[in-house]
Amino acid sequence: MEARWLTVGPVQENTWIARLEGAEKAILIDPGDEPDTLTTALDDLGATVEAILITHCHFDHVGAVAEMARRTGAPVYCPEGEVFILEDINAHMRFPGFGPFESYSPEKTVKDGDKLQLAGFEIDVIGTPGHSRDHVTYSIPAEKAMFSGDVLFENSIGRTDLPGADHQTLLDSIAKLLDTLPDDTGVLPGHMGPTTLGAERASNPFLRELAHR
């Protein structure tokens, strides 16, 4: 798999472009901002977006969804419990000085347990709420990789002081990932750089209570 991330917007969110090596079709994950930057990257790669996948609907992850859907013609896959946020994004803005953003009605919804076949990938949708009410992680077992949004970072975890967030729920979601995926699974996050599940199990200070799982 070729996976490229572009850090965009005022809060430095990672938008991911992923495709099988040398393939034309790709998936675009969490287009948060700077649609011109994203379009240029796609053009440079010669990639055609087959689907836009959303891990959760905080503004920094969906700010460019409407524009990228328009530019690529690709369907948008949104966690079903957060569609109402995407469809009225500015009503859910909690931070002054950002936006306004364009709302969007997704073509598809996803939930825990769904399996997607897109751009040659077989993708497992894993429900990982806690940072947001219906956050999902997109796991690609054959590539030992997952797009984790804001669940897990290198030596950190997603914040839980936002509406719909809950610290224990987030820890339970991370425990589910640790229990079901191998330690060498690459964590391709929504902020900061990539890591692995095993590295976070061993050294992430927020996961000490999960260390013996």
Side-chain angles (χ1 to χ4, degrees):
M1 180 177 74
E2 297 177 356
R4 177 177 178 183
W5 85 89
L6 298 102
T7 302
V8 296
V11 294
Q12 298 291 280
E13 182 263 349
N14 293 335
T15 295
W16 290 87
I17 301 168
R19 64 180 178 179
L20 292 172
E21 187 173 0
E24 177 183 345
K25 293 183 179 179
I27 52 176
L28 180 67
I29 301 96
D30 286 356
D33 209 329
E34 301 182 34
D36 288 344
T37 298
L38 304 182
T39 299
T40 297
L42 289 166
D43 289 344
D44 288 346
L45 291 169
T48 299
V49 177
E50 184 168 312
I52 297 171
L53 306 184
I54 299 172
T55 61
H56 66 296
C57 289
H58 288 162
F59 77 92
D60 55 321
H61 288 254
V62 299
V65 162
E67 182 61 23
M68 293 309 295
R70 206 163 23 245
R71 293 187 184 191
T72 65
V76 173
Y77 289 68
C78 178
E80 63 179 7
E82 298 193 11
V83 169
F84 74 100
I85 301 174
L86 186 62
E87 290 185 333
D88 195 8
I89 187 65
N90 295 301
H92 298 276
M93 283 294 298
R94 305 294 177 180
F95 304 99
F98 296 105
F101 299 102
E102 185 178 354
S103 299
Y104 193 80
S105 293
E107 287 77 18
K108 306 283 187 178
T109 62
V110 293
K111 64 183 185 304
D112 180 54
D114 283 351
K115 294 184 180 297
L116 310 176
Q117 293 192 351
L118 297 167
F121 294 118
E122 293 187 2
I123 304 169
D124 292 336
V125 180
I126 303 173
T128 48
H131 173 69
S132 70
R133 69 184 68 232
D134 198 28
H135 192 296
V136 301
T137 291
Y138 296 100
S139 170
I140 306 180
E143 303 295 335
K144 292 189 177 180
M146 66 178 187
F147 298 96
S148 59
D150 286 1
V151 170
L152 183 63
F153 307 119
E154 185 175 13
N155 292 318
S156 189
I157 60 175
R159 61 189 294 182
T160 53
D161 59 343
L162 301 171
D166 180 77
H167 182 73
Q168 187 57 53
T169 300
L170 178 62
L171 289 180
D172 290 344
S173 292
I174 295 170
K176 178 166 69 171
L177 296 175
L178 291 169
D179 288 346
T180 58
L181 298 175
D183 275 358
D184 58 352
T185 299
V187 178
L188 309 181
H191 299 275
M192 300 184 286
T195 182
T196 66
L197 277 180
E200 298 316 302
R201 184 198 298 274
S203 64
N204 191 316
F206 294 93
L207 304 187
R208 285 174 183 156
E209 61 193 271
L210 305 178
H212 301 297
R213 284 180 170 268

